[in-house]
Amino acid sequence: MHHRTTVAGLAGAALALTALAIPGAAQADEVSGDIRITKVVVNGGKNIVLGTTDVKTFTIAVTATDDSGIEVGNTFPVMWHTPLPNGDSYGLVMPDDIAGTCVRQSVTTTTRTHTLKMNPRIHPQDNTTAGTWTVRAHALANDGDYITKDSAAKAKVLRNSRLTVNASPEPVKKNKTITVTGALTRANWETYKYGGYTKQPVKLQFKKKGTSTYKTLKTVTTDSKGKLRTTTKATADGYFRYSFAGTSTTPAVASTADYVDVT
């Protein structure tokens, strides 16, 4: 199901303040005077990971500078995925707090931090928006200089992943074969359920009891339902886990460890 977010659906007060900050198709930067946006940080530099139900709260911090100083309440970011020809955006998130929180580094430079929320049942709109999003930022100086930066920063919005493991039989005789199963799943923003992530390489790892480091035994590929199954020899007491390195749309994840007693 698609939930297209358009400018018409936003609050009037927010629209009045952010008219210059709404992304459209193929917009260029707009600059008047010597004002500059020098830094934009999304979610503290970390990826934004969404599941199927929980709303994710994060921040965008915009640092701007001008010889006259930055006007309070007029530094504003939005985050979007795809500009559409009619001026709307496919995937669009705006701050909850219009004013944000202001920290002045100096007379000329200010960082304003805004809080945003992403609802996996509204904002991603569908699975095609997993990956890189763009931040468009606007700032206004005390002397009237302004800047609207079309691509002020990039951020990753990823589909949450889950990974399980089960090694059996337990306990097992030394040098006997054990079977290690599991499943790699990820959030589906269209069905609002977790589904199998197919044809993905996942490492089977083992940590011997009394040690602190996992060693990779082999790489196993998920099947058409995201399931994993392989065999290995039981050589010592220890912990088995699966580890997934992640992709451009899905974060890395490791399963919890399954301890096997070798007799």
Side-chain angles (χ1 to χ4, degrees):
M1 182 182 296
H2 293 176
H3 307 273
R4 178 163 295 174
T5 303
T6 63
V7 173
L10 301 171
L15 287 178
L17 183 59
T18 63
L20 293 175
I22 301 300
Q27 289 194 20
D29 294 349
E30 298 178 28
V31 184
S32 176
D34 58 359
I35 186 173
R36 291 180 297 130
I37 292 175
T38 58
K39 189 176 183 180
V40 176
V41 178
V42 182
N43 197 35
K46 299 178 181 179
N47 294 334
I48 298 166
V49 180
L50 291 179
T52 58
T53 56
D54 292 344
V55 175
K56 174 70 176 182
T57 300
F58 64 99
T59 60
I60 298 179
V62 180
T63 301
T65 186
D66 184 84
D67 57 4
S68 69
I70 304 302
E71 183 174 305
V72 174
N74 266 303
T75 300
F76 195 84
V78 296
M79 195 167 78
W80 51 279
H81 185 269
T82 308
L84 299 174
N86 65 355
D88 291 344
S89 294
Y90 197 59
L92 175 65
V93 185
M94 299 180 66
D96 286 343
D97 56 334
I98 301 301
T101 302
C102 180
V103 175
R104 294 185 185 274
Q105 279 76 37
S106 67
V107 174
T108 60
T109 304
T110 297
T111 297
R112 186 164 291 276
T113 301
H114 295 268
T115 299
L116 298 87
K117 292 180 180 179
M118 289 194 78
N119 186 329
R121 301 197 172 201
I122 299 174
H123 297 108
Q125 304 195 304
D126 63 33
N127 293 326
T128 66
T129 60
T132 302
W133 287 52
T134 301
V135 175
R136 182 175 174 88
H138 170 75
L140 179 68
N142 289 322
D143 61 3
D145 291 353
Y146 65 84
I147 181 171
T148 303
K149 201 167 184 179
D150 192 52
S151 182
K154 301 290 185 181
K156 290 282 191 178
V157 180
L158 304 180
R159 297 165 63 181
N160 189 45
S161 54
R162 295 174 176 174
L163 187 54
T164 62
V165 68
N166 181 62
S168 63
E170 304 173 56
V172 63
K173 295 290 185 180
K174 187 173 182 178
N175 294 323
K176 291 295 185 180
T177 298
I178 62 172
T179 300
V180 187
T181 58
L184 174 64
T185 59
R186 62 175 175 167
N188 187 317
W189 295 335
E190 298 170 19
T191 64
Y192 311 130
K193 298 177 181 179
Y194 278 79
Y197 199 3
T198 65
K199 299 181 180 179
Q200 296 301 309
V202 179
K203 292 179 179 179
L204 174 64
Q205 299 180 324
F206 178 73
K207 182 176 70 172
K208 187 176 180 180
K209 181 180 179 181
T211 66
S212 59
T213 304
Y214 276 95
K215 295 183 178 180
T216 298
L217 302 179
K218 62 174 71 175
T219 298
V220 186
T221 301
T222 58
D223 67 11
S224 60
K225 295 183 179 180
K227 294 183 178 181
L228 294 155
R229 184 183 182 89
T230 190
T231 59
T232 189
K233 294 293 184 181
T235 58
D237 293 351
Y239 303 85
F240 288 92
R241 76 174 185 183
Y242 278 119
S243 179
F244 174 60
T247 64
S248 62
T249 60
T250 308
V253 64
S255 69
T256 56
D258 188 13
Y259 181 76
V260 173
D261 180 22
V262 178
T263 61

